[in-house]
Amino acid sequence: MQNVILVLNAGSSSLKFSLFAERPDELALQLRGQIEGLGGAPHFVAKDPAGTILGERRWADGTRLGHDDAAHQLVEFLQDYRDRYRLTAVGHRVVHGGQEFSRPARVDGELLEKLEKLVPLAPLHQPYNLAPIRAVAARAPQLPQVACFDTAFHRRQPELAQLFALPPAITGRGVRRYGFHGLSYEYIAGVLPRLAPEAAAGRAVVAHLGNGASLCALLAGRSLASTMGFTAVDGLPMGTRCGAIDPGVILYLMDELKMDARAIERLIYKESGLLGVSGISSDMRELLASDAPGAALAVDLFVYRIGRELGSLAAALGGLDALVFTAGIGEHAATIRERVCRDAAWLGVELDNAANAAGGPRISSAASPVSAWVVPTDEELMIARHTRQALSPS
């Protein structure tokens, strides 16, 4: 019987999970899957590392499952493996750790109270992250749980990189730039030394491009600056999030269109970005396959904003040695990588078209002054590692 760590990543309408076997020198993925469509058309699927379906269930349209129900479904599925695996801990992705948490933390009642107080900083993420923690605690109170924070990797950024130009009475309440996607960036920072030692020791910008998208400047593997700020809606345009927006636009929406806070929240988080500009889809694959003018405009804006933010982060670094693409779009959309690299030629990026089409890992020419890479991220493995370490005797 193998000891295993369960990793849970909860969103507003989904619960992703992975199961890792604990071995002396590594954590080995055993299965992964998700329960999506919790709001109205739930679908459960679990697969082995090769992609073979191990279990699947669909509920009728209109069925609404809470995160408690999703956790229960997962527990039922894992019962079939109780003779093979011994569950030793659960690791959770928690979007916001605030100013206090710069490393993973074991869950207890005091920690949950502190994380509850951070809900106003991430109202569309934090409640869903905490729900499965409570569900597991209710069903298995003795099972250790570890919270792993998406903000933690950025906590050592210079103070100036975290500040807004606001009075201390406001910034002192926690209104500052936090940065997100930290678990992904931390994973990339750990892989890069083996793949590109010189780039890892120098100045790199990592582009985490997916439905949520951001860039992070790494100096010798440490976060120096990020495009996301106080919330995960800042920076680049995303699938449905608008990215950076003039605060005056928010005031205009309130004064002229009479939109309240919840309507504006819905607009900037769920009705903007690629979906809002294109009027078609939030999925980059659909937009790249479309010949509609709106689709082309959304893609053009996405690439343009990446180029703008890349220049900003290169300035923060004082130059650039490497550009790294990761996450769904970054890993799979060769066209987007090509366009971003072409626009970054002024920084010294020389693309190798054949290598880019093949998916890398290196997609720049051998003579390129700035190297470019494609590195798959693995936030779940990062969480499993943190969970194991947090529970290991010191």
Side-chain angles (χ1 to χ4, degrees), residues 52-349:
T52 302
I53 294 178
L54 302 174
E56 188 169 18
R57 180 181 176 184
R58 294 182 183 274
W59 287 259
D61 285 352
T63 302
R64 300 181 67 87
L65 296 182
H67 286 78
D68 283 0
D69 301 315
H72 180 69
Q73 172 64 34
L74 178 56
V75 168
E76 282 191 347
F77 169 75
L78 292 177
Q79 286 295 317
D80 293 338
Y81 294 86
R82 61 185 178 275
D83 294 332
R84 187 185 308 178
Y85 301 131
R86 179 189 297 108
L87 185 59
T88 61
V90 182
H92 299 266
R93 174 177 176 256
V94 177
V95 164
H96 222 301
Q99 297 183 68
E100 179 174 354
F101 297 104
S102 58
R103 59 176 57 87
R106 183 164 178 171
V107 175
D108 57 20
E110 182 182 357
L111 177 71
L112 271 176
E113 286 184 13
K114 291 180 177 179
L115 298 184
E116 274 286 355
K117 293 178 180 178
L118 297 176
V119 167
L121 302 185
L124 300 188
H125 296 86
Q126 198 86 344
Y128 302 110
N129 298 159
L130 302 184
I133 296 179
R134 293 195 189 88
V136 171
R139 288 172 170 79
Q142 302 307 314
L143 183 63
Q145 300 190 77
V146 175
C148 302
F149 306 102
D150 238 358
T151 52
F153 183 65
H154 304 296
R155 291 300 300 123
R156 293 193 294 171
Q157 286 182 0
E159 182 70 5
L160 287 178
Q162 300 183 49
L163 285 179
F164 290 116
L166 292 168
I170 295 176
T171 56
R173 296 174 63 89
V175 179
R176 56 172 49 222
R177 301 184 65 87
Y178 288 98
F180 298 89
H181 292 142
L183 291 163
S184 174
Y185 292 128
E186 185 178 10
Y187 179 83
I188 298 299
V191 170
L192 209 53
R194 299 193 299 273
L195 191 65
E198 292 183 4
R203 303 161 298 183
V205 170
V206 182
H208 178 107
L209 306 179
N211 189 53
S214 67
L215 305 181
C216 180
L218 298 181
L219 182 61
R222 293 179 58 173
S223 176
L224 187 74
S226 172
T227 57
M228 282 184 168
F230 178 61
T231 67
V233 76
D234 196 13
L236 303 178
M238 306 173 219
T240 61
R241 287 172 252 174
C242 63
I245 187 170
D246 183 336
V249 174
I250 305 299
L251 299 177
Y252 174 86
L253 296 175
M254 295 168 63
D255 292 340
E256 299 299 322
L257 301 186
K258 308 305 178 185
M259 295 175 68
D260 62 17
R262 298 288 74 79
I264 294 172
E265 179 181 74
R266 186 168 59 253
L267 172 67
I268 64 177
Y269 274 96
K270 298 183 178 181
E271 298 173 351
S272 299
L274 297 178
L275 174 63
V277 175
S278 72
I280 296 172
S281 175
S282 63
D283 192 320
M284 180 61 75
R285 292 167 297 187
E286 293 184 32
L287 298 181
L288 290 174
S290 174
D291 58 3
L297 180 61
V299 174
D300 287 348
L301 182 56
F302 183 71
V303 172
Y304 171 74
R305 288 302 310 176
I306 292 172
R308 283 276 300 266
E309 296 288 357
L310 177 59
S312 172
L313 293 185
L317 286 165
L320 189 63
D321 299 311
L323 173 61
V324 182
F325 294 92
T326 194
I329 296 172
E331 294 170 26
H332 303 295
T335 299
I336 298 299
R337 295 195 302 263
E338 177 185 0
R339 292 183 59 177
V340 171
C341 288
R342 296 293 183 201
D343 287 350
W346 69 278
L347 284 168
V349 179

Side-chain angles (χ1 to χ4, degrees), residues 354-376:
N356 182 48
R362 178 166 179 149
I363 60 172
S364 54
S365 69
S368 179
V370 174
S371 61
W373 305 83
V374 179
V375 183

